[in-house]
Structure formats: C-alpha cells, structure tokens
Amino acid sequence: MSKKKIKEIFIGSNNNGKLKEIADLLPKSLKIYSNFDFKIRSPVETGTTFAQNSLLKAKYFSKKTNKICMSDDSGIEIDILDKAPGVYSADWSGKKRNFNLAIKRVYKEIFKKDKNWKKKKITARFICVLTIFWPDGKFVSKIGKIEGRISNIKKGNNGFGYDPIFIPNGKRLTFGEMEPYKKYSIDHRSNAFKKIKKFF
Ligand code: IMP
C-alpha cells in the first residue's frame, strides 16, 4: 500500500445508512465518491466471515472504479442465537431491506430459545470490518466491536438497521435513541476506523 495520504476514496456500499456513517468518520478534506456518482451494483457476498466479505467488496469496487476504495462489512451477533444473524444481518431484513421485519425476526427467534427472555440480559455485539483496497492490489482490513444487549422494545429513530434494539454496555439508551456523535464515539465502525485513520 502507498505511504501517501489518501486524498480521494470511493466508498463501496449501497446501504445509505452505512454510507452516511462512514462519510461522517472521514476527514472533511477528503473527496468522497460513492454509488451516487458511479451506480455500481453490489457484489454477491459469498464470504462466511465479516473479514472475507469486507475484502471482497473493497476489491470488487476498486476494480470497477480503479480508485482506492473502502468497504464495510458489519452486523450484529446475538449470543443466545448462536451469534446469528451475524454476516446475514442485512438478509434478515428481506429483499426490500425492511428492518422492522428483521427486528421482528430477532424477537421471534429469541422467544423460541427462551420464553422468559425479556427478564434476562440478552448479550450481543456489533462487529465491523473496514477494508481499504488500493488499485495496485494492496489492502488493509481492521475489525472493530461494541458489546451490549438487546432491548426488549424497539426504541429511537436515529441510525439505521438494528440500532433501535441495541443498548451498548454501560448505557441506558439504544443506538437508535442516541445522538449520532455519541454513537460514533463508541461504536464498532469508529472502533475499526481508528485503526486505519493514519492512511488519511
Ligand atoms: P452488510 O455489511 O452490507 O452485509 O450489512 C450489514 C448489516 O448489519 C446492515 O444492513 C445492518 O443491518 C447491520 N448493521 C451494521 N452496522 C450497523 C449499525 O451501526 N447499526 C445498525 N445496524 C447495523
């Protein structure tokens, strides 16, 4: 990978919630390209780990655009569900990416495992692997995590995806109820980003 600081980057994602959160982490002086400029379909995520899918996406978008590209593969692991939905977090929201459906499914699956779950701490974590891929084939991937629990009711309209049901350890609010800057100060994505910040 080049030692030169990155001045422009393509963010390889068709998920607008994610795109916004990645863009918010990046320096304001950076020129950001996204699918609003290029309209490239996302690749099929054939990997079985966050690391594999993150690399697969960054490489794919870099080959398509011939630009330095950053991709995120992320999701939520719920311990009582044997770490599901994990890499399939987006799939649980169906073709139309409806997260009310995904959250209903989470509640249904947890109930199947334990009828009394609302009285218990259902531990979970968000995981994110960020990859920067350079057109010369070099890449760097870093992982970030945040531990927490599943709220027994959906709360808040901020963020995206599973934010309304995730309460980070040591907090009372779900990510959906938190101000974005508060979420970014502790979340999985910013955690991974801190480890690759030096390239910008
Ligand atoms: P993928 O990385 O495109 O496979 O999608 C990851 C999925 O994980 C997203 O569609 C969300 O459902 C979920 N996810 C990842 N990060 C977050 C987050 O910060 N908040 C809420 N949901 C998230």
Side-chain angles (χ1 to χ4, degrees), residues 13-15 18 21 45 50 53 57 72-76 86-91 93 97 99 102 126-128 159-164 166 175 183 187-189:
S13 177
N14 281 307
N15 173 333
K18 224 191 233 183
E21 299 206 356
E45 297 183 21
F50 294 110
N53 283 336
K57 286 189 267 189
D72 156 311
D73 197 64
S74 48
I76 190 165
V87 290
Y88 305 106
S89 295
D91 298 346
S93 62
R97 296 292 184 247
F99 279 91
F126 272 121
I127 298 187
C128 168
F160 68 101
Y162 297 88
D163 281 342
F166 183 82
F175 269 166
K183 178 186 174 192
D187 77 355
H188 48 314
R189 198 161 288 104

